[in-house]
Amino acid sequence: MKELDVVRLKEDYKEISKGTKGTIVLIYDDKNCEVEFFDKEGDTIDVVMTPLKKLELIESF
């Protein structure tokens, strides 16, 4: 995964529900990244440091 890829949570994380989609905005290292998560209307829920292992790739850019 890399910056700007679209991802989805594989499990609940920090009060964000499994299945929530987001965009990777920054890769910290090979284990963690910053993800901007969106609700179904496309509005930002939160930007959260997230372990890569909790994400599945939806679309790569």
Side-chain angles (χ1 to χ4, degrees):
M1 285 185 259
K2 60 187 183 308
E3 292 174 7
L4 302 180
D5 283 353
V6 178
V7 294
R8 177 178 18 229
L9 275 175
K10 295 194 285 187
E11 58 189 70
D12 291 352
Y13 183 69
K14 292 193 176 187
E15 300 183 19
I16 300 174
S17 301
K18 174 183 177 180
T20 301
K21 292 182 182 179
T23 301
I24 296 175
V25 292
L26 180 66
I27 299 283
Y28 290 119
D29 52 34
D30 61 345
K31 294 182 183 178
N32 298 290
C33 63
E34 192 89 9
V35 179
E36 182 176 4
F37 289 102
F38 302 98
D39 63 17
K40 292 180 181 184
E41 288 78 38
D43 296 321
T44 299
I45 296 170
D46 203 353
V47 179
V48 181
M49 186 180 83
T50 309
L52 289 168
K53 68 181 181 179
K54 295 193 178 282
L55 302 170
E56 71 176 307
L57 182 64
I58 300 298
E59 187 173 354
S60 183
F61 289 97

